[in-house]
Amino acid sequence: MTYFFETYGCQMNIAESAAVEQLLISRGWTKAEDAQVCDLAIINTCSVRQTAENRVFGRLGWFSGLKALRAKKPGAKSKTLEIAAEYVKDEAKPITVVVMGCMAERFLKSLQKDYPVVDYVVGTYAKKQFGEIIEAVENNRKASEVKLSDDPDKYEFSSVSLEPGAFSAFVPIMHGCNNFCTYCIVPYVRGREKSRSVEDILKEIDFLSKAGVKEITVLGQNVNSYSYDGVDFPKLLEIICDHIDETKSSIGWVRFMSSHPKDLSDRLISVITERKQLCHHIHLAMQHGSTKVLKEMNRRYTREEYLALVDKIKKAIPDVSLTTDIMVGFPGESEADFEEVLSIMKEIMYENAFMYYYNPREGTPAATRTDQIDVEEKKKRLQKVIDLQLEITKVQMEKRVGQIMTILAESVSRDNKEELLGKTPQDERVAFTAPESLIGKFVEVKIDSLSGNTFRGSLVK
């Protein structure tokens, strides 16, 4: 039997899709080349912005047409579904549609009513039951026969989150969020923070080592608040690095995300400088440059405290690559507030940023405010932020030209089959001429030039 994934949103969703894929593979399933011919379609969704939800609603409309065609219902249209039409030319072949992720939790009670194409809505706390869903599909059982749990007390971490054939892998270490930023839906759809046991984390790392993985990223909505049996996040990273050394693991690099500025400790900065496996890249979500707006967002740090933290990081880790999240157009944001965003960007000089305008999320405090910013004004401000960041990114990346850096070679370039694509410890992309046999290895590359956001380099013999 065959499966097909559509995954939207954050790295945690990517990891959770990979975990379900491992389960399918273990049961003998194979990946379909196209959603039109799969037996099981799984849509892993995001609720952080309305645009992400709208895209999924559009896809559910498409799957409605596909499901009708696969069932050979009278009047089913084959336009844009020619592959499926050929697939069911001789007989009907049903397809099962599953929606998981944050949208599934947010619309847990209404999604199937509004979109009957969906057979299973798998909320945050029901992911552990995917085995029952898969077994039901294998045995042609009705979806109504499978009872899914939505009990927050029964959340379980998946044992492995590896995408087949990947040299990089995500390792979730905690789930949920306790911060309740006033604009954010995450605590409502992912629940309270729960940390994973050190033992289970190390077991997953051992599995990844046997699979030849070279780089891991430990994940959480806020990794800095990890806490399990007296082990905090800096201590966990030390344990992971020691374990990698002791087991002679294939893993050479360790990354982490995301970090909340209010919880990034001096001890964590020290651990990064002390441990060779920890990459010098930190994603430190700023969100805004105005203390007034940060307070209204419930971020629990000021502009001055954030700048002091960045200064401390840069002094301890001179070659650090800092990236961030920037939101504009938060309710009540004045022109003066917005100018503080631009000024802090110029002061910090992030290598890159995820930039977006505020999008009201039903159920969050900020969505009820009456001082919402006009959408066109939000777009105008966002464009200014994007234009500035593009300039800063170019300046920051050009500093690496001429350096010799360790690169993890990951794949053959789509543009030039003689070239490989890889990444630096700072999570920058590099294209360089090299044989395909080096894929999955750490190599030394001289950075020769910058093309867009990708370095061009030459292999050091």
Side-chain angles (χ1 to χ4, degrees):
M1 301 190 77
T2 61
Y3 64 87
F4 193 88
F5 275 92
E6 291 191 7
T7 302
Y8 302 89
C10 67
Q11 289 86 351
M12 190 66 79
N13 273 9
I14 295 171
E16 290 172 350
S17 288
V20 177
E21 186 170 18
Q22 285 290 332
L23 179 59
L24 286 159
I25 291 169
S26 71
R27 297 179 69 101
W29 287 59
T30 57
K31 184 177 181 179
E33 293 184 4
D34 193 290
Q36 296 187 42
V37 294
C38 69
D39 297 306
L40 175 64
I42 302 172
I43 308 169
N44 197 347
T45 60
C46 175
S47 277
V48 171
R49 280 168 294 283
Q50 186 64 48
T51 49
E53 290 188 349
N54 289 344
R55 188 175 180 189
V56 170
F57 288 138
R59 290 300 290 161
L60 291 179
W62 183 86
F63 274 103
S64 294
L66 173 62
K67 198 166 193 177
L69 182 63
R70 289 281 297 269
K72 301 196 77 167
K73 288 187 175 180
K77 297 178 181 179
S78 60
K79 187 177 180 181
T80 76
L81 296 172
E82 291 83 3
I83 297 173
E86 179 64 25
Y87 184 60
V88 297
K89 185 169 60 175
D90 297 324
E91 61 176 325
K93 296 176 181 176
I95 178 174
T96 300
V97 177
V98 176
V99 175
M100 64 181 290
C102 291
M103 273 184 73
E105 183 66 26
R106 182 161 132 76
F107 299 107
L108 194 62
K109 305 301 183 184
S110 63
L111 193 62
Q112 281 179 303
K113 179 180 177 182
D114 295 337
Y115 292 88
V117 64
V118 179
D119 296 289
Y120 296 93
V121 181
V122 183
T124 299
Y125 309 106
K127 290 191 287 287
K128 64 182 180 297
Q129 293 179 260
F130 252 106
E132 297 174 44
I133 295 172
I134 295 167
E135 185 178 354
V137 176
E138 290 170 341
N139 293 296
N140 294 315
R141 289 171 54 205
K142 293 180 180 179
S144 59
E145 297 178 27
V146 180
K147 302 301 180 185
L148 300 180
S149 167
D150 59 355
D151 185 349
D153 294 329
K154 295 183 179 179
Y155 179 82
E156 294 179 9
F157 289 91
S158 299
S159 58
V160 177
S161 304
L162 175 65
E163 293 185 88
F167 295 108
S168 299
F170 294 119
V171 179
I173 63 166
M174 61 180 302
H175 182 273
C177 183
N178 293 347
N179 289 313
F180 288 94
C181 298
T182 59
Y183 55 82
C184 186
I185 195 72
V186 170
Y188 303 96
V189 293
R190 285 196 172 264
R192 302 294 73 74
E193 290 177 354
K194 181 175 182 179
S195 294
R196 188 180 182 190
S197 75
V198 175
E199 181 183 7
D200 283 352
I201 292 168
L202 297 183
K203 281 181 181 177
E204 179 164 5
I205 288 173
D206 288 342
F207 177 91
L208 298 175
S209 297
K210 290 177 183 177
V213 167
K214 300 302 174 67
E215 171 195 59
I216 61 171
T217 301
V218 296
L219 285 182
Q221 266 70 42
N222 176 18
V223 290
N224 295 330
S225 61
Y226 175 89
S227 179
Y228 192 92
D229 279 354
V231 176
D232 62 5
F233 185 55
K235 182 61 178 177
L236 175 66
L237 290 181
E238 290 181 316
I239 291 170
I240 288 172
C241 291
D242 286 341
H243 187 74
I244 286 171
D245 280 342
E246 291 164 4
T247 59
K248 296 182 172 54
S249 170
S250 64
I251 297 167
W253 287 351
V254 178
R255 304 180 187 275
F256 60 86
M257 69 181 311
S258 288
S259 279
H260 196 298
K262 72 178 178 62
D263 297 319
L264 199 153
S265 66
D266 292 349
R267 179 60 188 140
L268 177 57
I269 296 172
S270 296
V271 171
I272 295 171
T273 65
E274 294 163 2
R275 299 300 179 125
K276 66 182 185 299
Q277 297 96 337
L278 294 175
C279 293
H280 290 183
H281 168 239
I282 299 175
H283 186 83
L284 192 64
M286 175 184 71
Q287 299 300 355
H288 211 277
S290 162
T291 293
K292 183 201 88 175
V293 175
L294 289 169
K295 184 177 180 181
E296 292 172 354
M297 289 178 166
N298 193 35
R299 292 293 289 173
R300 286 179 275 179
Y301 54 83
T302 64
R303 174 190 177 98
E304 291 72 26
E305 288 167 343
Y306 185 92
L307 284 169
L309 176 59
V310 168
D311 184 60
K312 195 182 296 182
I313 291 170
K314 287 185 174 183
K315 284 179 179 175
I317 316 167
D319 65 340
V320 70
S321 164
L322 281 175
T323 57
T324 197
D325 296 338
I326 299 173
M327 177 196 293
V328 298
F330 187 78
E333 179 190 76
S334 66
E335 279 290 345
D337 294 327
F338 174 64
E339 287 299 322
E340 289 199 75
V341 174
L342 300 179
S343 67
I344 201 170
M345 290 171 66
K346 292 173 185 176
E347 187 167 351
I348 293 173
M349 298 290 285
Y350 295 106
E351 186 154 321
N352 222 319
F354 181 74
M355 301 157 283
Y356 59 108
Y357 64 75
Y358 169 73
N359 197 294
R361 298 281 71 206
E362 182 184 359
T364 62
T368 65
R369 288 181 55 160
T370 58
D371 52 353
Q372 302 290 331
I373 307 296
D374 178 74
V375 171
E376 290 307 313
E377 179 60 28
K378 288 193 284 191
K379 289 180 179 179
K380 178 182 169 184
R381 293 179 185 182
L382 177 60
Q383 192 58 54
K384 287 183 180 180
V385 167
I386 292 171
D387 291 343
L388 175 59
Q389 184 57 52
L390 288 173
E391 294 174 13
I392 293 172
T393 295
K394 187 172 186 295
V395 169
Q396 292 296 81
M397 293 188 72
E398 282 180 341
K399 294 178 182 178
R400 307 247 189 246
V401 175
Q403 295 181 11
I404 294 175
M405 304 187 73
T406 301
I407 306 298
L408 173 57
E410 293 185 300
S411 63
V412 175
S413 170
R414 287 179 295 180
D415 300 325
N416 184 343
K417 299 303 180 186
E418 301 299 315
E419 289 186 336
L420 299 185
L421 286 177
K423 69 171 71 166
T424 71
Q426 287 78 13
D427 207 26
E428 303 144 336
R429 309 302 300 176
V430 185
F432 56 100
T433 301
E436 198 171 328
S437 59
L438 292 181
I439 291 176
K441 293 182 170 59
F442 292 102
V443 295
E444 298 297 304
V445 173
K446 183 175 185 246
I447 306 300
D448 297 321
S449 62
L450 178 65
S451 176
N453 280 353
T454 301
F455 289 119
R456 315 290 304 184
S458 50
L459 191 65
V460 176
K461 303 296 183 183

